[in-house]
């Protein structure tokens, strides 16, 4: 292993991308634009008023009192409109379907004062949008029930008429987007760069020099690690930071950045994403062996990227996937990056957390496997 | 222009021929691209490898540099069995397709390859570019160069580390005649300083500039010798006729070696 040769490869990759402003722009602007859009869309839907009904399926005498307390509590909320005409659960569900209600608070049949339990029911056609009405309702409910029931906090269950609930908001989506974008871009850019080496004749030229395959993989990893680092820094700064711009003349006030609250250390988030990215570099090199044209690299998107988007916990929790797909989800690197990022950014976990260490270990293992595969496929045999 | 001597070789390997092949064979499916070639080329000379397209010139160079693994037989450069990664530091290879990065400038391409060979001497790198007359275009991106200029850059990248053995795969294709003359002058200077050059070509017009010729066809070496020697053995004063003679084809009607494929490189 020669530092001089590895450095030469790293510098070359950085120089090549400096000459390609479009790819650079894609690397930094695209994730920021998507997250900004996501933030705008989600916060926009949160501003509307939620139409709520409170019903009871419980025969407990206390439940009627709970209903009236909850009603009183929710009526004080600015973004909530309580429909007091609905009393039975079946009607309320029908009204959800008819789009006359956004949310139903149900006191289930097994409600007891000892273990108070509430159900929040939404339609389930668009869990992400519906979820935006929940937080302020939930706040009010906690206060009302806790006050009423002498300190015992109710457990609140989410349920939907259709599908399964998923309380996704900007906060919980941000870590996912960070991890996913790095993986996507690093994979695509490495795949195409290495394919160009193969078909452009430079790989043959490279392999006729004393550079080793390990040095090439390391050089690529460091070069793309450099860009992944800048990308993560940009995206994290945008997601976590927030710069409020006051209104000026006809331009209304707006904010740059999402100001998402992160509980954990951004450096640990970065570490997770970096190891994920290293795996993506090697995967790109490895898969470039099986492509003859740049179009064929793009054909790997539905094979490599889309399944990870669907199965890695991006949209649905792994536990709720069909049992057949769960093992698949558990071999995908993005699954572990997203889990780790959620642990760190939402739950505030650090490196003492067994779960985060496990995620890091699995990501390292997956990266190691692909580094070996990548090095093995940069065969001396060319042409 | 001064010519630095090629990287010094150890005394143990100087006695061995610079390039050696023993029953070297490479099969691609049913095709024997190189079909049992034996070579023993002493150092310090220019060898011209001549043959039509598909005769196995590129494959032979790839075998000698260890870029493809032989189906059978052995290849040695400076006495070291190939493939050998460390031995590649003493070898220069100009590929048939220009192995340069189009986005990178002339200087970035050259310094990248020089660094991989451990060459860090800026003056030597500039000298390599002077030889190919690209020293005035250090900052030009390679994709803005003409075909002949890219060929010249590719040549500089193969020379800058002063290899003891140089494999040049059709180096002068697309290069204008004045620069060609300069190339050949430099090749002779390198050979005089002890370097060994194996230059492939599918046309005969530069054959007389080589010290020794290898006529190749269908993976075989048909004949080997100095141009004068080959002419004499074929009983002709024309190398093209000599090639046809050794290929077992009649000398008339006159044709050039690989004439049908000359345009399609
Ligand atoms: N990678 C390869 N796969 C299959 N056949 C090949 C490959 N490389 C070369 N060949 C075949 O080997 C023969 C010799 O090719 P080559 O060495 O490129 O000839 P030359 O350089 O003399 O034109 C040709 O028939 C060619 O089609
Ligand atoms: Mg060839």
């Amino acid at each position: 292993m020669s530092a001089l040769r590895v450095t030469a490869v790293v510098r070359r990759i950085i120089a090549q991308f400096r000459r390609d402003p479009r790819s650079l722009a894609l690397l930094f602007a695209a994730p920021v634009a998507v997250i900004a859009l996501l933030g705008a869309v989600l916060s926009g839907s949160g501003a509307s008023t939620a139409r709520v009904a409170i019903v009871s399926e419980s025969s407990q005498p206390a439940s009627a009192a709970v209903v009236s307390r909850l009603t009183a509590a929710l009526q004080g909320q600015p973004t909530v409109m309580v429909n007091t005409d609905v009393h039975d659960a079946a009607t309320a569900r029908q009204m959800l379907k008819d789009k006359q209600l956004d949310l139903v608070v149900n006191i289930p049949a097994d409600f007891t004062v000892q273990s108070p339990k509430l159900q929040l029911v939404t339609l389930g056609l668009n869990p992400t949008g519906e979820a935006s009405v929940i937080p302020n309702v939930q706040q009010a409910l906690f206060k009302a029930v806790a006050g009423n029931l002498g300190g015992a906090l109710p457990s609140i269950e989410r349920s939907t008429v259709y599908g399964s609930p998923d309380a996704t908001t900007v906060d919980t989506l941000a870590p996912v987007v960070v991890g996913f974008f790095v993986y996507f871009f690093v994979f695509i850019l490495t795949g195409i760069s290495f394919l160009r080496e193969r078909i452009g004749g430079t790989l043959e030229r490279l392999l006729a020099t004393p550079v080793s395959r390990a040095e090439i993989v390391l050089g690529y990893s460091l070069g793309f690690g450099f860009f992944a680092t800048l990308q993560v820094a940009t995206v994290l700064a945008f997601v976590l930071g927030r710069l409020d711009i006051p209104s000026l003349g006809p331009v209304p006030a707006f904010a740059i950045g999402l100001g998402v609250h992160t509980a954990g250390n951004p450096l640990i988030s970065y570490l997770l994403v970096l190891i994920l990215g290293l795996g993506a570099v090697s995967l790109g090199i490895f898969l470039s062996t099986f492509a003859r044209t740049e179009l064929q690299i793009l054909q790997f998107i539905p094979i490599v990227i889309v399944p990870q988007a669907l199965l890695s916990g991006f949209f649905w929790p792994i536990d709720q996937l069909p049992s057949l797909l769960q093992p698949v989800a558990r071999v995908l690197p993005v699954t572990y990056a997203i889990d780790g990022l959620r642990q760190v950014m939402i739950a505030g976990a650090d490196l003492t957390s067994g779960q985060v260490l496990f995620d890091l270990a699995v990501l390292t293992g997956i990266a190691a496997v692909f580094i070996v595969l990548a090095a093995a496929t940069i065969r001396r045999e060319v042409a | 222009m001064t010519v630095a001597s090629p990287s010094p070789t150890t005394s143990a390997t100087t006695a061995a021929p610079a390039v050696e092949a023993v029953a070297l064979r490479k099969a691609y499916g049913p095709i024997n691209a190189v079909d049992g070639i034996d070579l023993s080329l002493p150092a310090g000379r220019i060898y011209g490898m001549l043959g039509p397209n598909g005769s196995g010139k590129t494959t032979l160079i790839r075998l000698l540099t260890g870029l493809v693994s032989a189906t059978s037989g052995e290849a040695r450069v400076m006495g070291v069995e190939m493939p050998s990664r460390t031995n590649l530091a003493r070898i220069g290879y100009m590929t048939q397709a220009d192995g340069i990065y189009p986005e990178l400038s002339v200087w970035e391409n050259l310094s990248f390859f020089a660094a991989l060979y451990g060459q860090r001497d800026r003056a030597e790198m500039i000298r390599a570019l002077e030889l190919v007359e690209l020293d005035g275009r250090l900052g030009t991106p390679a994709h803005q160069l003409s075909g002949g200029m890219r060929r010249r850059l590719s040549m500089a990248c193969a020379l800058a580390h002063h290899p003891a053995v140089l494999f040049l795969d059709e180096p002068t294709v697309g290069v204008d005649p004045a620069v060609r003359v300069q190339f050949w002058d430099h090749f002779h200077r390198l050979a005089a300083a002890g370097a060994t050059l194996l230059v492939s070509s599918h046309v005969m017009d530069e054959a007389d500039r080589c010290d020794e010729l290898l006529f190749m066809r269908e993976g075989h070496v048909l004949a080997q010798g100095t141009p004068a020697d080959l002419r004499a053995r074929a009983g002709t004063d024309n190398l093209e006729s000599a090639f046809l003679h050794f290929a077992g084809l009649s000398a008339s009607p006159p044709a050039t070696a690989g004439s049908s494929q000359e345009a399609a490189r």
Side-chain angles (χ1 to χ4, degrees):
Chain A
M1 189 65 66
S2 143
L4 179 69
R5 291 196 292 260
V6 174
T7 314
V9 176
V10 175
R11 287 180 52 179
R12 194 207 86 211
I13 285 166
I14 292 174
Q16 276 178 303
F17 270 92
R18 273 212 336 257
R19 300 288 146 73
D20 187 357
R22 274 245 295 265
S23 296
L24 274 186
L26 187 76
L27 203 59
F28 298 114
V32 167
V34 169
I35 295 171
L37 210 58
L38 207 67
V41 168
L42 293 184
S43 67
S45 62
S48 62
T49 305
R51 294 160 302 172
V52 180
I54 299 159
V55 297
S56 173
E57 289 178 324
S58 163
S59 50
Q60 288 266 331
S63 67
V66 174
V67 169
S68 59
R69 294 271 169 165
L70 291 179
T71 309
L74 287 181
Q75 270 167 341
Q77 294 288 317
T79 56
V80 176
M81 204 185 73
V82 183
N83 185 333
T84 49
D85 302 335
V86 193
H87 299 290
D88 72 295
T91 312
R93 276 170 184 271
Q94 189 54 49
M95 287 178 74
L96 277 177
K97 291 183 195 171
D98 297 341
K99 308 254 165 81
Q100 290 166 346
L101 285 175
D102 299 309
L103 177 74
V104 172
V105 181
N106 183 31
I107 295 159
D110 56 354
F111 177 90
T112 60
V113 177
Q114 288 74 33
S115 74
K117 191 160 121 190
L118 297 174
Q119 251 180 1
L120 301 188
V121 188
T122 53
L123 190 57
L125 280 183
N126 173 15
T128 311
E130 291 161 13
S132 64
V133 304
I134 290 184
N136 35 15
V137 172
Q138 197 157 316
Q139 276 287 306
L141 291 180
F142 269 127
K143 279 195 204 118
V145 180
N148 192 30
L149 301 173
L153 279 177
S155 69
I156 295 184
E157 244 175 38
R158 277 273 280 124
S159 119
T160 48
V161 175
Y162 302 116
S164 66
D166 186 358
T168 311
T169 62
V170 189
D171 291 33
T172 59
L173 259 183
V176 176
V177 174
V178 174
F180 197 75
F181 267 99
V182 168
Y183 195 79
F184 179 74
F185 283 112
V186 168
F187 167 71
I188 287 294
L189 293 179
T190 321
I192 289 182
S193 302
F194 213 80
L195 180 82
R196 282 194 193 147
E197 296 255 28
R198 284 183 194 282
I199 59 181
T202 50
L203 185 62
E204 172 169 23
R205 188 63 192 80
L206 212 51
L207 294 177
T209 74
V211 77
S212 71
R213 292 180 288 182
E215 286 163 353
I216 296 176
V217 174
L218 184 62
Y220 260 82
S221 298
L222 293 176
F224 282 99
F226 171 76
F227 286 113
T229 300
L230 293 182
Q231 191 189 32
V232 173
T234 312
V235 173
L236 279 182
F238 184 80
V239 168
L240 304 181
R242 187 185 172 96
L243 185 64
D244 285 296
I245 312 290
S247 69
L248 190 75
V251 184
F254 65 100
I256 298 173
L258 298 180
V260 165
H261 174 73
T262 180
N265 184 343
L267 281 180
I268 303 175
S269 308
Y270 165 67
L271 186 65
L272 282 156
V273 175
L274 188 70
I275 298 177
L276 178 74
L278 291 184
V281 168
S282 292
L283 180 70
I285 294 177
F286 173 63
L287 288 182
S288 76
T289 317
F290 307 104
R292 292 245 150 248
T293 64
E294 301 186 359
L295 187 64
Q296 288 182 346
I297 291 283
L298 298 187
Q299 288 165 4
F300 285 119
I301 292 178
I303 299 168
V304 173
I305 302 295
V306 174
Q308 304 221 60
L310 295 180
L311 300 181
S312 63
F314 198 140
F315 297 114
W316 302 285
I318 311 287
D319 300 333
Q320 292 176 15
L321 292 173
S323 53
L324 210 62
L325 289 178
Q326 287 195 19
V328 179
R330 295 200 197 284
V331 300
L332 302 176
V334 177
T335 300
Y336 295 91
I338 287 180
D339 180 69
L341 286 167
R342 282 190 167 141
Q343 299 284 338
V344 172
M345 291 176 70
I346 299 171
D350 55 24
L351 288 179
T352 58
S353 149
Q355 188 61 38
V356 173
L357 290 178
F358 176 72
D359 289 329
L360 280 171
V362 174
L363 285 173
T364 309
I366 293 175
V369 168
F370 280 104
I371 286 171
V372 170
L373 283 177
T377 48
I378 306 175
R379 255 171 287 142
R380 296 247 152 217
E381 191 113 4
V382 288
Chain B
M1 193 184 305
T2 58
V3 180
S5 57
S7 12
T9 56
T10 58
S11 53
T13 54
T14 35
V19 176
E20 252 184 305
V22 182
L24 197 55
R25 198 168 71 83
K26 176 68 185 180
Y28 288 113
I31 298 170
N32 282 319
V34 166
D35 198 2
I37 285 184
D38 291 281
L39 284 181
S40 179
L41 308 180
R45 312 195 74 189
I46 302 175
Y47 300 91
M49 194 169 22
L50 294 169
N53 290 142
S55 54
K57 305 181 295 293
T58 300
T59 305
L60 179 59
I61 293 179
R62 283 177 177 159
L63 287 166
L64 293 171
T65 49
L67 284 167
V68 301
S69 51
T71 306
S72 61
E74 284 170 26
R76 278 189 286 274
V77 173
M78 309 294 290
V80 178
E81 175 120 25
M82 300 303 289
S84 153
R85 201 160 58 76
T86 47
N87 207 30
L88 287 172
R90 303 195 287 172
I91 297 174
Y93 178 24
M94 178 176 174
T95 50
Q96 186 170 356
D98 299 311
I100 53 180
Y101 296 92
E103 313 88 329
L104 297 189
S105 69
V106 167
W107 176 252
E108 285 167 333
N109 267 292
L110 186 84
S111 54
F112 171 63
F113 285 108
L116 295 185
Y117 284 110
Q119 171 65 276
R120 310 172 78 171
D121 186 340
R122 210 187 140 89
E124 287 299 336
M125 292 186 235
I126 295 284
R127 201 166 302 165
L129 287 175
E130 275 168 7
L131 166 79
V132 299
E133 296 190 343
L134 284 175
D135 51 315
R137 313 197 66 145
L138 298 189
T140 308
H143 67 82
Q144 287 178 13
L145 298 175
S146 73
M149 287 175 179
R150 281 201 294 274
R151 215 71 204 113
R152 280 144 59 184
L153 174 56
S154 191
M155 164 92 69
C157 292
L159 287 178
H161 62 291
H162 297 302
V165 175
L166 251 175
F167 296 107
L168 304 169
D169 201 352
E170 314 218 1
T172 55
V173 172
V175 176
D176 46 78
V179 181
R180 265 184 207 215
V181 169
Q182 228 178 313
F183 273 13
W184 281 101
D185 286 348
H186 190 69
F187 294 165
H188 283 283
R189 279 196 295 267
L190 291 174
T196 309
L197 291 85
L198 185 60
V199 184
S200 87
S201 177
H202 68 283
V203 290
M204 291 286 172
D205 52 0
E206 289 168 327
D208 268 314
R209 297 178 179 275
C210 302
D211 298 321
E212 218 170 285
L213 297 178
L214 304 159
F215 280 168
M216 286 193 61
R217 189 160 184 267
E218 290 172 355
H220 297 278
V221 175
L222 301 174
Q224 182 183 343
T226 65
D229 173 38
L230 290 176
R231 277 193 200 91
R233 276 159 61 194
T236 166
D237 56 0
N238 170 324
L239 277 173
E240 267 140 33
S241 317
F243 184 92
L244 294 176
H245 169 84
F246 289 111
L249 307 166
S250 88
S252 56
T256 58
S259 56
S260 55
Q261 295 122 317
E262 236 169 71
R265 181 160 74 88

